[in-house]
Amino acid sequence: MRKKICIIGSGTAGLQLAYSLKEEFDVTVIHSTSSDKIRNGRVMSTQVHFGSTRNRENRFKMPKWEDKTLLKSVHMTIGNQKLFVGKLKEPALSVDQRFYFSQCLKDLENKGVSFRLMRVNKSDIESLVDEFDLIIDCTGKSGPLFPFPIEKEISPFQVPQRKCIVGYFLGVKPNNPLGISVTVLPEMGEMFEIPAMTEQGPVTILFVMAIPNRELDAFKEIKHAKEFTNQMKNVTQKYFQGIHERIEQDIFALSDEKAFLQVAIKPVIRKPYVTFNNKLVVGCGDSVFLNDPITGQGCNLSSYCAEQLYETLIQYRDSNWDTQLGEAYWDRTKIFVREVTEWTNAMTQVLPEHIVQLLLTGVENQKIADEVAEWFEEPQKAYEAFFQLQD
Ligand SMILES: Cc1cc2nc3c(=O)[nH]c(=O)nc-3n(C[C@H](O)[C@H](O)[C@H](O)COP(=O)(O)OP(=O)(O)OC[C@H]3O[C@@H](n4cnc5c(N)ncnc54)[C@H](O)[C@@H]3O)c2cc1C
């Protein structure tokens, strides 16, 4: 008999797990929002999928996306000084999660995966644990539903370090070569400009990461699309001239009424397994590994851990599923989780002097510029640059 797995949550982690596990196990996905509601709802993220994540999507035969907005570079600016354009090793892609998730849900349904549409409450979890051989908690930042213990050493923050202010816009001429633009404004925050694909076509995401209560934290109380657009215009004019110059004033607008978002995340990392009513439960994605979005690693970390969980479950397919499996999964993931987390946490603080010097070296040295771009696709390298050069 095939073992029965229940995945709670159908975001980046839950969907990749469903694709990878459906051949070997009897998979049920429980999700709180129908694909139509997701499609017509609010944007959720900026979701840059770097090369390794896109390779995993291919490995597990996930849907393919139009590649009009492939991101091949990272443009780096500090203040008003453009430093360099570094090349990514493999192209990255940002597809609006409303489009991505709803397409994957339909595709998985056609491929025979079972779905239940319900929001799981804490009062439901005992009966689910009884019903299935394994529950995977993929409830994202609103989770977890289970008491996964916090890893205190790598969860240092008591409050969010940034306000995340995101809008998907029409009317921004793309940067050249097409890529992600990162602008650091010391003591204020950052701006990420990300060309992306939506169901209606290409857009430019403007993503302000504001240090709370400093100058960039200028969107408080803004609830309406028009007000949001006007404020983004003001903010780019005042602080991000390089972007403002590419705004076509007469057509600059949100791509739809729900294409903006404001959120603040308190990062917290948990051990991704726990015993509940004498059964193993595991977590994957933001429910257990929740970082600030500043390094754009959330989807990539979720996808990496989903693949490691898949490999662990295949390895233990014919054994008992107990804490040994949980520990094997954690063993496979903890080094990468730690490196991504410590780099991300460091990026939310004042940049260390040796990193500022390295970024300045990139102005004259293309090899360094390319290495900095590669931090985003291979975060281990960023970790090494941030922490090992300090010795
Ligand atoms: C502003 C912002 C910008 C970001 N930018 C990037 C970026 O550029 N690159 C990147 O890699 N990452 C980025 N991220 C992070 C990335 O979006 C997340 O890390 C990633 O989506 C996490 O995947 P997940 O599957 O864990 O959670 P999610 O994708 O959030 O999915 C969780 C799912 O669980 C469902 N759910 C929750 N609770 C329940 C329940 N009780 N019952 C049933 N279903 C439930 C939700 O409806 C949802 O479908 C960003 C995040 C934010 C907020």
Side-chain angles (χ1 to χ4, degrees), residues 8-14 30-33 44-48 97 101 118-120 138-142 145 164 166 194 207 261 263 265 284-287 293 296-300 302:
I8 309 177
S10 62
T12 314
I30 304 189
H31 62 135
S32 52
T33 319
M44 292 168 265
S45 177
T46 67
Q47 72 269 317
V48 179
Q97 286 184 338
F101 291 175
M118 66 179 270
R119 182 157 197 94
V120 178
C138 297
T139 51
K141 59 184 178 304
S142 64
L145 288 163
C164 306
V166 173
I194 305 167
F207 179 10
L261 168 76
V263 64
I265 286 172
C284 189
D286 280 0
S287 65
Q297 295 301 312
C299 294
N300 299 289
S302 298

Side-chain angles (χ1 to χ4, degrees), residues 59 118 135 268 295 364 376:
R59 175 182 180 192
M118 66 179 270
I135 303 282
V268 53
T295 51
E364 304 288 342
F376 294 89

Side-chain angles (χ1 to χ4, degrees), residues 1-36:
M1 261 241 307
R2 294 191 345 151
K3 285 185 167 133
K4 291 199 303 176
I5 296 180
C6 171
I7 299 169
I8 309 177
S10 62
T12 314
L15 289 168
Q16 187 184 305
L17 279 164
Y19 274 94
S20 62
L21 296 171
K22 67 182 171 37
E23 307 301 335
E24 305 283 343
F25 304 102
D26 186 350
V27 173
T28 299
V29 178
I30 304 189
H31 62 135
S32 52
T33 319
S34 70
S35 65
D36 279 346

